[in-house]
């Protein structure tokens, strides 16, 4: 598997016309080489691959990344300089999106005669379609998160504090084997539901409020992402109307998405549904994003999303309505694209849950 990924990285190198590829994103380093440490660079040539790291990680790198040559450096910049000079490279492909201005300036100062070529899109494409091993991990991660949410839902009640709900959810995930959380949980009740990224606060949940919970687990390096909006007590007609509008939009997108469609067309399935019911001005963000090693990765499903839906893609479908001074509803599932459509890998039922 890792040999295939290194070969794919060589394909990006070849397409760039460069002599060497420097990978600095830790997520991409993990994907290509298997190394999970917090400090490294991956250098790929036409025939070889080198993992540069410091003394803290040389043994770990040798165990996790058997397909590459591990090089220990005492000083990062000097280690990179020495390797590039030894390889006789003239044109270097690099990740501009993951390289600071200062780091780029340093490289140019010690290697003034080299040409640096950005290859962000080429590397981004490597992780867009998930292989079978990734899909298994993503499904396991989603299962952990979905089961944890269902366990702690009874704690979402009048008098509960948003932060306490978030903490209980994290603990339930860890009890099921999660290594961490994939992002800071959103627990937004009442009027705070109008905040698409309303992180859990000290607000006390009141009877009759909608509560949006956006959460995800981290398991063996892969993330999950799911959002559920529940009602604490019997919902009023307005709450039901908004909820059913979002639910209908999500169903339209999940049922309608197919390989070969553009990402913009998938977004439009949900957006047009919400607009047809008079709530278009309250849905401002894109419909979804890729999920994998990172919680947000390619593809982007939005009115500005580029590219087409491909079998093996994994992304979220998360329409929402956010009304200032009233509250909001978001419903999110993570789906995998299959030959005939999409399949949800997140498991909490999306009919309105009344607690």
């Amino acid at each position: 598997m890792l040999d295939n990924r290194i070969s794919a990285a060589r394909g990006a190198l070849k397409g760039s016309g460069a002599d060497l590829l420097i990978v600095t994103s830790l997520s991409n380093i993990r994907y290509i080489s298997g190394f999970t440490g917090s400090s490294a660079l991956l250098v790929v040539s036409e025939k070889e691959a080198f993992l540069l790291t410091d003394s803290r990680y040389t043994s770990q790198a040798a165990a996790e990344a058997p397909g590459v040559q591990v090089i220990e450096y005492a000083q990062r910049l000097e280690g990179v300089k020495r390797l590039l000079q030894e390889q006789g490279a003239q044109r270097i492909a690099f990740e501009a999106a993951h390289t600071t201005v200062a780091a780029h300036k340093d490289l140019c100062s010690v290697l003034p005669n080299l040409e640096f070529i950005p290859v962000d899109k080429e590397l981004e494409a490597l992780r867009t379609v998930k292989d079978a091993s990734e899909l298994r991990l993503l499904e396991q991660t989603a299962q952990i998160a979905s089961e944890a949410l269902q366990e702690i839902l009874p704690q979402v009640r009048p008098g509960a504090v948003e932060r306490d709900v978030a903490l209980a959810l994290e603990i339930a995930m860890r009890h099921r084997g999660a290594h961490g959380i994939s992002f800071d949980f959103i627990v937004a009740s009442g009027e705070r539901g109008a905040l698409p990224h309303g992180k859990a606060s000290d607000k006390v949940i009141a009877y009759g409020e909608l509560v949006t919970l956006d959460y995800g687990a981290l398991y063996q390096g892969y993330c999950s992402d799911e959002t559920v909006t529940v009602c604490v007590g019997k919902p009023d007609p307005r709450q039901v109307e908004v909820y059913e509008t979002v639910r209908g939009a999500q169903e339209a997108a999940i049922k309608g998405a197919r390989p070969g469609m553009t990402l913009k067309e998938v977004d439009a399935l949900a957006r047009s549904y919400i607009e047809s019911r008079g709530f278009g001005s309250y849905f401002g963000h894109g419909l979804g994003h890729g999920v994998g090693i990172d919680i947000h990765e390619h593809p982007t499903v939005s009115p500005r999303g580029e590219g087409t839906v491909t079998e093996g893609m994994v992304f979220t479908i998360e329409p929402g309505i956010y009304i200032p001074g009233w509250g909001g509803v978001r419903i999110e599932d993570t789906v995998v694209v299959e030959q005939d459509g999409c399949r949800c890998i997140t498991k909490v039922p999306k009919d309105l849950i009344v607690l």
Side-chain angles (χ1 to χ4, degrees):
M1 180 184 66
L2 293 176
D3 286 344
N4 291 338
R5 293 178 181 181
I6 292 172
S7 295
R10 288 197 176 103
L13 168 63
K14 184 177 181 180
S16 72
D19 304 313
L20 291 177
L21 166 66
I22 298 180
V23 183
T24 49
S25 159
L26 290 174
S27 294
N28 283 337
I29 290 171
R30 178 175 189 148
Y31 177 81
I32 296 168
S33 74
F35 176 67
T36 65
S38 64
S39 179
L41 290 123
L42 180 66
V43 177
V44 179
S45 72
E46 184 179 344
K47 296 182 179 180
E48 297 178 285
F50 308 89
L51 187 69
L52 287 75
T53 189
D54 60 56
S55 61
R56 296 172 299 169
Y57 291 117
T58 48
S59 295
Q60 178 181 335
E64 291 182 337
V68 304
Q69 298 182 46
V70 178
I71 298 175
E72 182 181 316
Y73 58 72
Q75 204 282 329
R76 183 184 178 102
L77 185 60
E78 284 301 314
V80 176
K81 175 185 175 181
R82 185 180 305 112
L83 178 61
L84 297 190
Q85 289 176 332
E86 289 173 354
Q87 294 295 307
Q90 297 298 313
R91 292 164 56 85
I92 309 299
F94 78 109
E95 297 179 281
H98 298 282
T99 304
T100 66
V101 173
H104 183 260
K105 183 179 179 181
D106 287 342
L107 276 173
C108 291
S109 67
V110 299
L111 296 163
N113 297 321
L114 300 193
E115 179 183 358
F116 291 91
I117 304 165
V119 289
D120 295 287
K121 288 186 177 181
E122 292 86 348
L123 287 179
E124 187 179 71
L126 300 185
R127 289 163 49 195
T128 298
V129 173
K130 273 47 179 182
D131 61 33
S133 65
E134 290 183 286
L135 290 175
R136 284 194 296 272
L137 284 173
L138 285 165
E139 294 205 49
Q140 290 171 339
T141 309
Q143 185 73 25
I144 287 169
S146 294
E147 289 181 357
L149 187 278
Q150 289 171 313
E151 176 190 323
I152 66 93
L153 273 178
Q155 298 183 44
V156 184
R157 57 181 182 265
V161 177
E162 291 177 352
R163 290 188 193 277
D164 293 340
V165 171
L167 178 60
L169 182 53
E170 178 178 353
I171 291 171
M173 286 182 183
R174 288 185 178 273
H175 281 164
R176 284 170 169 75
H179 301 147
I181 58 177
S182 53
F183 56 92
D184 289 337
F185 295 163
I186 293 167
V187 180
S189 58
E191 292 186 6
R192 293 190 72 249
L195 304 173
H197 280 185
K199 293 180 182 179
S201 73
D202 292 326
K203 181 187 176 300
V204 175
I205 297 169
Y207 181 86
E209 290 184 329
L210 294 173
V211 183
T212 296
L213 303 103
D214 189 347
Y215 57 96
L218 181 63
Y219 176 70
Q220 294 192 14
Y222 280 78
C223 299
S224 74
D225 197 0
E226 183 171 15
T227 304
V228 173
T229 299
V230 302
C231 191
V232 180
K234 184 178 179 181
D236 63 35
R238 177 71 161 173
Q239 290 171 327
V240 172
E241 178 189 17
V242 173
Y243 189 93
E244 292 305 322
T245 298
V246 176
R247 180 71 179 120
Q250 197 212 25
E251 286 182 344
I254 291 174
K255 291 179 179 179
R258 294 285 186 279
M261 294 178 66
T262 67
L263 295 165
K264 294 178 182 178
E265 288 172 334
V266 177
D267 178 274
L269 291 172
R271 197 167 303 278
S272 61
Y273 187 99
I274 290 175
E275 289 173 348
S276 71
R277 283 151 180 79
F279 293 101
S281 61
Y282 299 113
F283 178 30
H285 59 71
L287 181 63
H289 56 84
V291 179
I293 293 175
D294 293 322
I295 189 61
H296 291 96
E297 55 184 53
H298 192 73
T300 299
V301 186
S302 78
R304 296 166 296 282
E306 297 180 356
T308 59
V309 177
T310 303
E311 186 175 353
M313 280 183 172
V314 173
F315 52 78
T316 65
I317 294 181
E318 49 179 306
I321 292 175
Y322 313 94
I323 304 173
W326 180 82
V329 172
R330 180 166 66 256
I331 305 172
E332 174 186 22
D333 279 298
T334 300
V335 303
V336 55
V337 180
E338 298 182 329
Q339 184 176 0
D340 299 323
C342 290
R343 173 174 61 85
C344 290
I345 63 175
T346 40
K347 300 299 182 181
V348 177
K350 295 307 186 292
D351 292 331
L352 180 58
I353 298 172
V354 178
L355 300 172

